[in-house]
Amino acid sequence: MLIKTPSPSAARECDVTPEAHYLSRRRFMGAAGAALAMGALPARAEAERYAGVELGATPAWFTEKLPEIRWQAVTAGEEALTPYADVTHYNNFYEFGTSKGDPARYADKLVIEPWSVMIDGEVARPGPVSLEQLVQPHRLEERIYRLRCVEAWSMVIPWLGFPLAELLKRAEPTGKARYVRFETQLAPEQMAGVRSGFSLIDWPYVEGLRMDEAMHPLTLMAVGLYGRVLPNQNGAPLRLVVPWKYGFKSIKSIVRISLVAERPQTTWEKLAPDEYGFYANVNPQVDHPRWSQATERRLPNSLFSPNVIDTRLFNGYEEVASLYSDLDLRKYY
Ligand SMILES: Nc1nc2c(c(=O)[nH]1)N[C@H]1C(S)=C(S)[C@@H](COP(=O)(O)O)O[C@H]1N2
Ligand SMILES: [Mo]
């Protein structure tokens, strides 16, 4: 299993970047000091990490959770974190436009307070739940995951969240529940990309998982990154993170979670079924019809330092392989 405590000797890169600094602080402080960490960074490192980013107020439901966070419950080994500025300024969130910079520019329009999530379908306990109610029973964990976009770029992001499995169990799925369907908020007056009319997407954005994928311990409901609440452009206040699948499965700003008997039709599958499948497992051997998936561009990169690395099967999360032992991964891409 990936869940382990890293050794202190892994902290060599500290002081090189504010991101490394962020990590080393959490590594040595433990949970007790973690609540203080936000204000305790040296002013320069703090300023660099959040350069150009407007930080909103931190809501009470989040600050209450800080003292008991399990820091680095999952790590990405020695791989460096992608800087905060890239994680929050190079995004896909088509509701706010199709350029990578559009979400950072326009997602502040998204109203995230109050937020409520409808849980329905094949469950014994359906109903709307406020964000506060939904997060309250869970201990937050920091999970440092690789994120591999189907467009062949990738990042390493320190998420904060809790296993989706815990949330689903609380809703008590019935025997008929075979898939989980997720839906993003649809608010055209707040979302320039939805209003534009150029988009071919049939809103709202929809994603889905098979029940065993949804219950896998790596599947995360994220509410934060880099020790803070999620910025709107990253899918505030609640988004899915499925690290062994292409990024488009990791649906943002979720307002509805439905347990269903039939496989849901998902947004990208509907748009171009020969290019984007339901499974979307990261696989260097199954190319996209228009480009290779054998390698990826790890951010940050530049023209002079392209930082191209080999893509790994299941994005390096081999422990999920048993979920697909009966599946032809070329056919079910
Ligand atoms: N609602 C919604 N969720 C979405 C998307 C989107 O356009 N709309 N883009 C997806 C894609 S293609 C990727 S790669 C990831 C990007 O997440 P990030 O911007 O937090 O890195 O979000 C995914 N979730
Ligand atoms: Mo993506």
Side-chain angles (χ1 to χ4, degrees):
M1 240 348 245
L2 277 161
I3 298 178
K4 56 155 195 182
T5 313
S7 71
S9 63
R12 265 175 318 242
E13 75 279 49
C14 86
D15 293 335
V16 176
T17 68
E19 284 70 30
H21 199 108
Y22 164 88
L23 261 191
S24 58
R25 285 200 68 77
R26 267 147 192 74
R27 192 169 277 133
F28 297 118
M29 261 180 340
L36 301 168
M38 252 47 81
L41 274 181
R44 199 175 128 262
E46 177 83 17
E48 272 174 30
R49 169 142 48 90
Y50 301 115
V53 182
E54 223 173 282
L55 296 169
T58 305
W61 63 262
F62 186 80
T63 18
E64 280 163 14
K65 292 278 163 195
L66 280 173
E68 54 167 36
I69 287 177
R70 276 182 72 202
W71 297 104
Q72 295 184 55
V74 178
T75 72
E78 298 291 300
E79 290 168 68
L81 294 183
T82 300
Y84 188 83
D86 297 275
V87 172
T88 57
H89 287 77
Y90 190 91
N91 300 102
N92 277 333
F93 199 166
Y94 276 31
E95 286 85 338
F96 297 98
T98 53
S99 322
K100 293 289 181 282
D102 284 343
R105 227 169 283 138
Y106 304 120
D108 60 327
K109 298 280 186 301
L110 180 68
V111 178
I112 55 169
E113 257 185 74
W115 194 268
S116 152
V117 181
M118 177 56 86
I119 299 177
D120 61 6
E122 294 295 339
V123 288
R125 301 177 59 204
V129 196
S130 71
L131 180 73
E132 293 76 8
Q133 281 175 312
L134 186 129
V135 177
Q136 198 278 325
H138 305 284
R139 182 176 180 187
L140 299 186
E141 299 178 20
E142 182 179 55
R143 297 196 176 193
I144 303 174
Y145 282 162
R146 293 179 283 273
L147 176 86
R148 171 53 159 91
C149 176
V150 74
E151 300 162 335
W153 53 264
S154 65
M155 302 194 190
V156 178
I157 303 176
W159 302 105
L160 283 176
F162 55 89
L164 173 63
E166 287 183 10
L167 184 154
L168 296 179
K169 280 181 208 149
R170 297 184 73 82
E172 297 172 21
T174 73
K176 287 189 196 146
R178 293 181 57 224
Y179 295 89
V180 187
R181 181 186 182 278
F182 304 87
E183 214 176 275
T184 293
Q185 169 73 308
L186 177 57
E189 71 288 357
Q190 299 164 24
M191 298 170 157
V194 172
R195 285 197 308 271
S196 85
F198 285 108
S199 167
L200 299 170
I201 292 177
D202 185 10
W203 309 103
Y205 194 98
V206 170
E207 259 307 334
L209 294 172
R210 221 169 55 185
M211 200 62 187
D212 57 345
E213 299 175 321
M215 297 302 285
H216 194 278
L218 284 174
T219 304
L220 193 72
M221 289 308 294
V223 295
L225 60 82
Y226 265 112
R228 294 182 176 266
V229 283
L230 285 175
N232 283 8
Q233 59 265 39
N234 294 90
L238 181 75
R239 60 99 49 95
L240 182 69
V241 182
V242 194
W244 71 93
K245 292 177 179 284
Y246 290 121
F248 67 83
K249 299 295 290 183
S250 293
I251 181 172
K252 297 179 168 180
S253 305
I254 295 168
V255 291
R256 188 173 174 197
I257 302 176
S258 312
L259 285 281
V260 292
E262 301 295 324
R263 193 172 94 179
Q265 203 183 25
T266 60
T267 293
W268 286 100
E269 194 192 4
K270 207 164 171 181
L271 203 64
D274 50 334
E275 299 187 19
Y276 310 101
F278 175 81
Y279 283 94
N281 292 318
V282 175
N283 191 334
Q285 271 151 29
V286 179
D287 286 337
H288 185 276
R290 291 182 278 126
W291 60 84
S292 162
Q293 294 291 27
T295 60
E296 66 200 55
R297 225 165 21 90
R298 173 61 57 81
L299 272 69
N301 78 329
S302 70
L303 206 53
F304 303 106
S305 152
N307 207 15
V308 173
I309 59 174
D310 286 341
T311 289
R312 291 150 72 184
L313 180 61
F314 303 123
N315 204 20
Y317 299 96
E318 307 88 358
E319 61 263 61
V320 302
S322 60
L323 299 179
Y324 309 106
S325 47
D326 296 337
L327 214 64
D328 176 353
L329 296 175
R330 291 192 170 277
K331 189 162 172 229
Y332 297 97
Y333 51 88

